[in-house]
Amino acid sequence: MDDRWEVIDDAAARARSHLESARGAPVAPTADAVAGLDGLTSVLPDGPGAVAATLEQLDRLGSPAATRQSAGRYFGFVNGGVEPAGLAAAILALAWDQNAALPVMSPVAAHVDAVAARWIVDLLGLPPTATATFCAGASVANLTAIVAARDALLRRVGWDSADRGIVGAPPLAVVASEEIHSSVPKALRVAGLGSGSIVSIPTDGCGRARSDAVPATRGPTLVLLQAGNVNTGHSDPFREIIGQLDRQRTWVHVDGAFGLWANAAPERRALLDGVELADSWATDGHKWLNTPYDCGVAIVARGDDLVASMSQNAAYASATDGRSPMNMGVQMSQAARAVPVWAILATLGRSGVADAVERCCRNALRFADVLDAAGAEVLAPVVLNQVLVSFGDDETTDRVVAGVQDDRTCWMGGTEWHGARAMRISVSDTSTTEKDVDASAAAVIRVWHSLP
Ligand SMILES: *Cc1c(COP(=O)(O)O)cnc(C)c1O
């Protein structure tokens, strides 16, 4: 027995204790816990110490200052919890310390990557010929797909952007839902297309792009739609919009960071009708699938388009047989992000994932019903895992959001929705129970009713 590794057992025990004690505990750390982090930022030690002491210090000072995001009562942003199967597999894979860039570097990473990618395409109801690849999150997935789209659209009009760049290239029109997620204009800027030239598709009262108001364009056009509006959870009418496009000169990309998972639940599939007709999609593992951070997925209908934009020439890392993740995305060295995805899917199976998605949707509806019965206003019909609530005027709504964050029973953020302030509730932790929803909704109502 080599006792250098005792610290691994210690870490696992501390991790378990952190997770167990988080259930039912206040969600946000106290101001004292946050102040205690100063203890971690003292001077760099002059020399070595004991790793056991390092870990003890990290747990004593760090754990209390962590947001308890995977204990059922965190409803901020679209932050998912962590599925135990994914966490356990990630711990094992961290010990493997594989570089998933090329199959020759890690047979296990390469194999699991290919299997998990195929399972994701299948679960999300996308064409079986589509190619999925793992990356750091939906922002990176959006960027990856937009670069592939840019290059493919220009190639169709005889411009080789891989060689010549985009300065002086034929114009590329960009059409996007007026409420497209902020990561998409950012990706357009990073891709050299700029966000100022976006022609918007106006949205309806639920935040969906209006199929009767798609602007006409000429020449190569990138069309950006979304599955899952980040405020309401509603999705664009894909079939109606894509059906009216000239598909010879358009590329449709769908940002489905969380919303694409509606397709994993048979009862929700109608929400995404026609989404499979797009050319590329972005989604996240760390949101609704509850993988550990970070994990995104870029999916492209024709894998060659991805490789054309992302392949990298290095004699020492020349293309080997099979999928090479370094030639399918922006990173060369990369974690084996597919491992926790594979473990969660292998553990839950098709029906387990469907149940997890469905449960979040039902709990979102429960939130809406309880708050509505208490007299709050639910601003958009709840169709997925997102709930938007107003408590009358903007000032009261902001005060309820701030009060709930101080109360610490649960955590929700605020947003601006069609000109009004709103509380935004996202049920993205699949471990959330009805009891968690009831306790959290009761806390919201208590805070609201006790406002001075
Ligand atoms: C969260 C989100 C993103 C960004 O995803 P990251 O994983 O945070 O990079 C993009 N689009 C939508 C709709 C999102 O909800």
Side-chain angles (χ1 to χ4, degrees), residues 173-348:
V174 181
V175 172
S177 158
E178 193 181 352
E179 291 185 45
I180 200 82
H181 187 268
S182 55
S183 61
V184 171
K186 177 174 173 178
L188 289 168
R189 294 201 305 273
V190 176
L193 298 172
S195 57
S197 62
I198 298 176
V199 186
S200 289
I201 312 176
T203 47
D204 67 13
C206 293
R208 292 174 294 218
R210 279 174 42 198
S211 59
D212 63 350
V214 179
T217 61
R218 295 172 51 228
T221 302
L222 175 55
V223 179
L224 301 158
L225 302 176
Q226 66 187 354
N229 178 297
V230 82
N231 282 312
T232 65
H234 285 258
S235 296
D236 294 338
F238 303 109
R239 189 174 301 282
E240 287 76 8
I241 292 179
I242 298 174
Q244 58 184 277
L245 300 174
D246 170 2
R247 300 297 275 125
Q248 294 302 313
R249 57 174 185 83
T250 52
W251 177 300
V252 179
H253 171 70
V254 175
D255 174 4
F258 65 95
L260 214 47
W261 290 88
N263 254 0
E267 297 100 301
R268 306 277 157 183
R269 278 207 161 187
L271 296 170
L272 301 186
D273 182 43
V275 74
E276 70 283 358
L277 302 172
D279 299 284
S280 60
W281 306 264
T283 195
D284 265 319
H286 55 224
K287 286 181 176 167
W288 220 343
L289 190 61
N290 284 207
T291 66
Y293 283 87
D294 51 20
C295 177
V297 194
I299 308 166
V300 174
R302 294 164 298 276
D304 288 352
D305 289 333
L306 192 59
V307 175
S309 296
M310 296 294 160
S311 60
Q312 173 174 342
N313 254 328
Y316 71 95
S318 60
T320 50
D321 286 344
R323 288 163 54 88
S324 300
M326 66 169 262
N327 292 322
M328 300 164 78
V330 293
Q331 279 184 273
M332 188 177 198
S333 297
Q334 54 195 285
R337 291 191 176 94
V339 171
V341 171
W342 176 87
I344 292 171
L345 299 183
T347 304
L348 298 185

Side-chain angles (χ1 to χ4, degrees), residues 346-425:
T347 304
L348 298 185
R350 202 182 288 281
S351 70
V353 176
D355 288 350
V357 168
E358 220 15 78
R359 200 162 56 241
C360 288
C361 295
R362 276 201 310 274
N363 280 328
L365 195 58
R366 188 179 181 94
F367 250 123
D369 288 347
V370 175
L371 295 176
D372 174 75
E377 187 189 355
V378 177
L379 298 176
V382 174
V383 293
L384 214 61
N385 61 333
Q386 306 291 120
V387 190
L388 274 188
V389 190
S390 162
F391 297 88
D393 57 284
D394 285 355
E395 195 201 329
T396 306
T397 300
D398 281 341
R399 287 170 74 198
V400 176
V401 170
V404 167
Q405 291 177 1
D406 281 348
D407 172 76
R408 299 163 62 232
T409 303
C410 56
W411 202 99
M412 287 91 161
T415 188
E416 183 94 10
W417 166 250
H418 292 190
R421 299 294 302 162
M423 171 184 277
R424 194 169 156 283
I425 302 170

Side-chain angles (χ1 to χ4, degrees), residues 20-65:
E20 282 177 346
S21 65
R23 284 221 89 85
V27 172
T30 61
D32 280 353
V34 175
L37 291 170
D38 281 348
L40 296 176
T41 46
S42 50
V43 288
L44 177 66
D46 285 334
V51 62
T54 303
L55 200 71
E56 185 280 327
Q57 189 191 27
L58 186 64
D59 189 25
R60 178 168 41 82
L61 299 175
S63 295

